[in-house]
Amino acid sequence: MKLLKDLFTDYRFAVSFVLLVLLMILAVSSAFSPYDPIKWLQVPRDTPPSWTHILGTNSKGQDVFWGATFAIRNSLIIAVIAAVFSRVIAVLVGFVAGYKGGFIDRILMSITDGLLVIPLFLILVLVAMLLREAMTLVNIGFLLAFFGWAWDARTIRSQVLSLREREFTQTSVLSGNSTLPLVMKEYTPFTMPLILSTLINNMAWAIGMEIVLAILGLVRLEVPTLGTTLKWAITYQAMLLGHWWWILTPVG
């Protein structure tokens, strides 16, 4: 409870958490959709928001609101996979490098720094181009997780380096505790706020990267996500034709 109280004292975390809950509610509501998210021409095309279609319809003959619920659900799947698995890597690398130090620290930080200095966006585009047909929701999530842990691993390592010099670490070592129990019992409570805050930040980053890859046409466009929704709106020139409800829904 104290951990949650400390987290919610940061207004940025509180706002992000509330927005995440709202998005999850919309994602769950996709299960009640009366429409197939992939089929076209299910409703009249290009109608503005009304009581029948609260966010209007698009040029593909799909309800924008219900399409958005599927898009949010799928984008959250990508974001959760990317954030959770990248947190696992970041925590392992940060804890081991920070606590062990020496040669292990130098090796792990060399790998981390290598990922930080490479042009990440270009690498993601190249990999997506090579694996375009295999770019499912799960694979996109794992791809982003593989490249999305380095900065946070270095941040966690910095905190562990500070914790390693504190008196309770020496006391725990002298008490005969091995590395794993010490790290899990003593360090995790101090690092958990950082891990959770970077989790939400990484989810936002993953959604943003998926949108960019989708706009470039490097994912499977038939699968509704926030990125593919925006891609189709741009393709059909929604803004130029005055169909603002279609393009503003994924942007908003």
Side-chain angles (χ1 to χ4, degrees):
M1 291 299 295
K2 184 178 184 301
L3 173 61
L4 291 176
K5 184 177 180 180
D6 291 341
L7 285 172
F8 278 98
T9 56
D10 185 343
Y11 77 93
R12 292 170 297 183
F13 179 86
V15 171
S16 299
F17 181 81
V18 171
L19 290 176
L20 180 60
V21 170
L22 291 175
L23 289 176
M24 291 179 66
I25 292 173
L26 288 172
V28 171
S29 68
S30 65
F32 305 99
S33 172
Y35 305 109
D36 188 315
I38 297 179
K39 290 183 179 179
W40 292 26
L41 303 177
Q42 300 177 86
V43 295
R45 299 170 58 189
D46 299 328
T47 60
S50 63
W51 289 112
T52 305
H53 305 288
I54 59 175
L55 290 180
T57 65
N58 60 30
S59 299
K60 297 163 61 182
Q62 297 172 325
D63 185 277
V64 173
F65 171 77
W66 289 111
T69 62
F70 284 101
I72 291 170
R73 183 197 68 183
N74 292 337
S75 290
L76 282 179
I77 290 173
I78 294 172
V80 168
I81 292 173
V84 169
F85 282 93
S86 64
R87 291 319 83 195
V88 171
I89 300 172
V91 168
L92 288 175
V93 172
F95 274 27
V96 172
Y99 183 75
K100 288 295 187 180
F103 177 75
I104 294 177
D105 181 32
R106 290 194 295 272
I107 292 296
L108 292 176
M109 286 303 99
S110 295
I111 297 172
T112 302
D113 292 340
L115 286 174
L116 289 175
V117 299
I118 63 173
L120 180 57
F121 175 70
L122 295 179
I123 296 296
L124 286 173
V125 169
L126 176 61
V127 174
M129 289 178 63
L130 295 174
L131 303 176
R132 182 178 301 182
E133 295 303 318
M135 292 293 281
T136 62
L137 299 177
V138 174
N139 288 343
I140 294 173
F142 280 120
L143 175 64
L144 295 175
F146 182 78
F147 289 104
W149 58 268
W151 181 261
D152 297 324
R154 178 166 280 282
T155 304
I156 293 171
R157 169 186 173 270
S158 299
Q159 189 165 15
V160 173
L161 284 173
S162 174
L163 294 172
R164 190 179 65 177
E165 302 303 322
R166 296 193 183 183
E167 185 176 345
F168 67 80
T169 298
Q170 305 302 324
T171 303
S172 182
V173 171
L174 292 174
S175 299
N177 289 328
S178 59
T179 300
L180 183 59
L182 186 153
V183 168
M184 296 302 296
K185 182 180 179 181
E186 303 292 348
Y187 290 177
T188 301
F190 289 95
T191 56
M192 189 56 68
L194 175 62
I195 294 170
L196 291 178
S197 63
T198 59
L199 175 77
I200 293 180
N201 290 338
N202 197 260
M203 289 180 66
W205 172 80
I207 291 174
M209 290 305 303
E210 184 277 326
I211 290 174
V212 173
L213 293 176
I215 290 176
L216 294 176
L218 299 177
V219 300
R220 297 171 63 179
L221 297 179
E222 70 274 13
V223 178
T225 65
L226 293 176
T228 57
T229 301
L230 194 56
K231 168 67 174 178
W232 283 115
I234 294 172
T235 300
Y236 278 90
Q237 300 181 331
M239 189 59 73
L240 292 177
L241 295 175
H243 304 157
W244 52 267
W245 56 89
W246 187 8
I247 200 166
L248 289 184
T249 297
V251 172

